[in-house]
Amino acid sequence: MPKFFKLKVNTPAGTFFEDDVLQVELKTPNGIIGFLADHQPSIGSILPSLCYIRDVNGNRVQALVNKGIYKMDGQQINIITDFFYLTDQINPSILEIRKQQIEQVVSNKNTINTKAYENIQRKLLVELEQLSKLSKK
């Protein structure tokens, strides 16, 4: 019988997702890591990417996650990020929320130099384009 563990996703708005799962795959600076129940305890960073979740029925669903951190204790994995949505739930209102978040970061350009600001702005625009493509699938 498969062994489940808890996935909990926290965003600034609160707990976004909390449920039992069979597997979670996250993209990290060291590559993609898959987590199963009883995985060795670990902490690390997450890169903006698609996250894959195998639910208790064995279905593989995907979610779009922004950079963040994870903590796995063997029985539960906690993800902390400012953006996490299951791709089948992305719609124009979600895109608008993310656009506002991006605009807020971009409008705070006085705290960073011009080159860094332009780099951030370019990356955020690419992210919006990718979100828009996912919402049309």
Side-chain angles (χ1 to χ4, degrees), residues 3-83:
K3 194 166 185 183
F4 306 120
F5 66 104
K6 181 79 65 190
L7 167 62
K8 186 173 182 180
V9 178
N10 292 301
T11 68
T15 300
F16 178 82
F17 183 90
E18 186 172 7
D19 207 350
D20 289 334
V21 297
L22 287 169
Q23 181 181 10
V24 175
E25 296 173 41
L26 298 171
K27 185 175 182 182
T28 72
N30 297 321
I32 296 173
I33 299 177
F35 297 91
L36 299 169
D38 299 325
H39 190 280
Q40 180 176 358
S42 60
I43 297 174
S45 60
I46 303 167
L47 297 177
S49 61
L50 286 174
C51 161
Y52 297 97
I53 303 163
R54 191 155 315 269
D55 67 18
V56 295
N57 297 317
N59 299 316
R60 188 175 189 225
V61 296
Q62 58 185 10
L64 193 62
V65 62
N66 197 20
K67 65 183 175 180
I69 60 171
Y70 71 86
K71 177 186 175 205
M72 174 58 156
D73 67 10
Q75 303 306 311
Q76 176 170 304
I77 186 167
N78 290 309
I79 296 174
I80 301 171
T81 183
D82 68 343
F83 188 81

